[in-house]
Amino acid sequence: MHRLARTAATILTLALALAVSAQSGASAASTQYEAESATISQGSVATDHTGYSGSGFVDYTNVAGGYVEWTVTAATAGAATLALRYANGTTVNRPMDVRVNGAVVASAKAFAGTGSWDTWADGTLTATLNAGANTVRATATTSVGGPNLDRLTVTTQTGGTGPAVPFGSHLFPYAAGTLKPSGSQATLDQAVVTYYDKWKSAFLRQNCGNGWYEVISPDADHPYVAEGQGYGMVILATMAGADPNAKTAFDGMVKYMLAHPSVNNADLLAAEQDTSCRSVNGSDSATDGDLDVAYGLLLADRQWGSTGTYDYKALAIRHINAIKASEVNPATHLTRLGDWSTSGDSLYYVTRSSDWLIGHFRAFRKATGDTAWDTIRTAHQNLITSQQSTYAASTGLLADFVVNTNTTPKPAPGEVLEDANDGKYWWNACRDPWRIGTDAVTSGDAASLASARKLSTWIRGKTGGDPSKIAVGYSLGGTQIESGSEPAFFAPFTVAAMTDSGGQAWLDALWTKMLNTTFTSSDYYSTSIQLQVMIVASGNFWTP
């Protein structure tokens, strides 16, 4: 549903070391440092809001230059995750410079509004600590001062059991020839972490108790949708290492998923919940959400193993098998819209292009050993190629929905599920350059590369290299549907651009466009898409 990257011997030694590291992982050691116990300049200790830890929190004076500085200890030198727990009851960002041992590691790091002064969130970043004592200083950079600051949590890796693929480790290089945005890897990684912090603050919630975490979707048809839960699980598992709370939140999302089964297949997720987190609108499934839930569980198994509270691998395989049984058409091997679309239903031979997740199908084949997923993957790649060549030869665009999959698949002739643009490149298909491009850069598959390059070459020419000219929707021939600039439409072309050998300047322009685009707490759909695009574009996506 929508909306709404020496010598041969040296290289071999390094590769083996990375493989061992990836399998054994490293245990995370976390230490909390209260803000009220730190050195404070132009701020004071306060207790007039709830939810803080320790004996209080720091209320910055409303001036630039105020700071809180901690002295933290690291057993060994190396990378660490710093999480600053803060509250900002305004709608105005209160940025701060974060310095480690006097050097700025995050300039004007955003600390966006959290909804109220009693609502706390984590602003996370990565930095390198020295063995022994280190200073960490958070300095307000504007006249409104900093947010209320509760504590600093420092997480280091000490060897042991995970996460096996911490964010920023880049253990899985992309296909040869893949482009990345210009700039240092550290800068790219930090941009993702900064954006993730904003996304998490805006959309990751614990609104319904029960130990659940859920992604809220104010701009979707319902407050909580399966698509959002799938996005959240993939994002959290990928950001492990940058976010010390990732596993806790992920487990909360697993608990939520298990508590909301589809009425048709209990191993799938009910598609929609209301403000009280009660499943509604038939309590059946949506294929896109289930695909990402299963993929997120595979990532979690790779990150943390499956011997904790949840057996991620077993849950993933159950989910994957349920997807095959209830959300893949056995005749066409193409995805159905959900487990509610059964033989005889008018939409049984309709499929949605944004569900054609080629890389997910590869992961499902690897996890289950089921060769059916090879057949399913090939069927979708063939459909992508044929739809591009037959109906969008000049653009490569795909329709939101394709009908008649049992005979001659073609773009929907009009409204079949959502609106009159169902046969155009609209609010579902806008994700296709990201999804197809992700498989292209991670697998190097020739078909995915060709499809992604076609999309990138066309949009680069269409806009003259200006991402601001990417419209909100197109006919398959390339005529824009609406004007405006929407991340759900421009961000996905960033991943396609990574496959485009002549597109470095275009890729850089798209990356810059994403960094310069703000969002509100109602922009769940575009923001969730852009964050995942940034994860891929920065070289941090991987296939379990």
Side-chain angles (χ1 to χ4, degrees):
M1 68 175 46
H2 82 263
R3 311 206 211 264
L4 22 89
R6 298 175 181 159
T7 66
T10 301
I11 294 173
L12 177 59
T13 299
L14 177 58
L16 289 172
L18 289 177
V20 170
S21 174
Q23 291 181 9
S24 62
S27 63
S30 296
T31 306
Q32 293 182 354
Y33 299 87
E34 295 293 339
E36 67 271 19
S37 301
T39 300
I40 304 167
S41 176
Q42 298 186 97
S44 59
V45 176
T47 58
D48 56 333
H49 296 291
T50 63
Y52 58 83
S53 62
S55 59
F57 56 88
V58 171
D59 182 352
Y60 280 76
T61 304
N62 291 342
V63 294
Y67 66 80
V68 175
E69 181 176 288
W70 297 266
T71 298
V72 305
T73 301
T76 59
T81 300
L82 310 180
L84 295 130
R85 187 170 190 260
Y86 76 98
N88 179 0
T90 76
T91 59
V92 178
N93 175 31
R94 296 196 169 196
M96 295 195 293
D97 287 344
V98 182
R99 291 177 171 82
V100 174
N101 298 324
V104 176
V105 295
S107 178
K109 178 174 174 59
F111 290 84
T114 58
S116 79
W117 292 108
D118 298 317
T119 301
W120 300 86
D122 284 331
T124 61
L125 64 148
T126 57
T128 299
L129 299 182
N130 300 324
N134 299 262
T135 60
V136 177
R137 177 182 292 191
T139 305
T141 61
T142 68
S143 60
V144 297
N148 288 348
L149 206 54
D150 181 33
R151 66 176 183 242
L152 167 70
T153 300
V154 179
T155 303
T156 57
Q157 302 300 323
T158 60
T161 57
V165 191
F167 178 86
S169 57
H170 306 285
L171 297 179
F172 300 91
Y174 289 169
T178 298
L179 303 179
K180 280 200 296 187
S182 299
S184 71
Q185 185 64 65
T187 299
L188 298 178
D189 290 350
Q190 186 56 56
V192 178
V193 173
T194 298
Y195 199 84
Y196 165 75
D197 289 342
K198 297 177 184 178
W199 172 87
K200 182 180 175 183
S201 178
F203 305 113
L204 188 63
R205 293 286 183 262
Q206 288 184 278
N207 287 346
C208 297
N210 299 310
W212 297 341
Y213 279 75
E214 57 276 336
V215 171
I216 195 168
S217 50
D219 50 333
D221 295 332
H222 291 83
Y224 307 100
V225 293
E227 166 201 273
Q229 311 321 311
Y231 285 167
M233 291 172 71
V234 171
I235 290 168
L236 285 168
T238 307
M239 297 302 298
D243 180 356
N245 194 53
K247 187 177 187 300
T248 298
F250 186 91
D251 283 354
M253 296 202 73
V254 173
K255 190 173 185 179
Y256 182 90
M257 179 268 294
L258 293 172
H260 295 86
S262 168
V263 295
N264 297 318
N265 188 324
D267 288 327
L268 298 174
L269 172 61
E272 297 158 326
Q273 288 82 45
D274 63 15
T275 55
S276 299
C277 295
R278 295 173 299 195
S279 292
V280 293
N281 199 26
S283 300
D284 44 26
S285 77
T287 300
D288 53 355
D290 286 316
L291 291 168
D292 276 332
V293 166
Y295 196 86
L297 287 165
L298 291 178
L299 291 172
D301 170 66
R302 188 69 177 79
Q303 285 284 38
W304 301 299
S306 290
T307 59
T309 303
Y310 297 106
D311 186 338
Y312 304 126
K313 185 66 173 290
L315 289 173
I317 291 175
R318 279 171 48 189
H319 219 87
I320 292 165
N321 290 338
I323 291 169
K324 188 181 79 167
S326 299
E327 295 177 333
V328 175
N329 189 304
T332 65
H333 310 295
L334 300 172
T335 52
R336 291 148 55 184
L337 303 177
D339 64 4
W340 49 268
S341 177
T342 56
S343 181
D345 180 88
S346 63
L347 299 176
Y348 187 59
Y349 291 108
V350 176
T351 185
R352 177 173 34 213
S353 64
S354 54
D355 296 348
W356 304 346
L357 306 189
I358 308 304
H360 287 42
F361 303 152
R362 293 185 197 279
F364 297 170
R365 166 65 168 88
K366 180 180 177 181
T368 63
D370 186 350
T371 59
W373 289 105
D374 292 330
T375 303
I376 293 165
R377 173 180 54 79
T378 301
H380 287 87
Q381 290 188 283
N382 290 342
L383 185 60
I384 292 169
T385 299
S386 65
Q387 290 294 297
Q388 286 185 314
S389 63
T390 304
Y391 299 102
S394 62
T395 67
L397 297 172
L398 299 168
D400 270 14
F401 297 95
V402 170
V403 302
N404 297 350
T405 59
N406 58 325
T407 55
T408 303
K410 64 179 182 179
E415 181 175 353
V416 297
L417 186 67
E418 295 183 357
D419 61 36
N421 292 318
D422 282 353
K424 299 178 181 180
Y425 183 82
W426 195 224
W427 284 95
N428 288 289
C430 63
R431 296 173 282 189
D432 294 347
W434 154 43
R435 296 299 205 177
I436 296 170
T438 297
D439 182 64
V441 302
T442 55
S443 74
D445 181 272
S448 293
L449 282 166
S451 295
R453 285 169 178 160
K454 190 174 186 71
L455 288 161
S456 184
T457 301
W458 171 74
I459 194 64
R460 176 159 56 93
K462 175 75 173 179
T463 62
D466 182 356
S468 296
K469 294 182 179 179
I470 297 175
V472 179
Y474 292 95
S475 71
L476 300 191
T479 302
Q480 77 173 46
I481 297 175
E482 292 182 1
S483 60
S485 185
E486 176 65 49
F489 284 87
F490 67 73
F493 282 112
T494 307
V495 183
M498 298 171 70
T499 71
D500 184 352
S501 61
Q504 185 65 58
W506 172 237
L507 174 59
D508 291 344
L510 285 160
W511 180 259
T512 300
K513 172 73 171 174
M514 290 193 294
L515 295 185
N516 291 336
T517 299
T518 59
F519 67 87
T520 72
S521 59
S522 295
D523 296 326
Y524 140 79
Y525 185 66
S526 281
T527 304
S528 298
I529 291 172
Q530 178 168 317
L531 173 55
Q532 293 176 89
V533 166
M534 292 176 68
I535 289 170
V536 178
S538 64
N540 284 291
F541 192 77
W542 47 281
T543 302

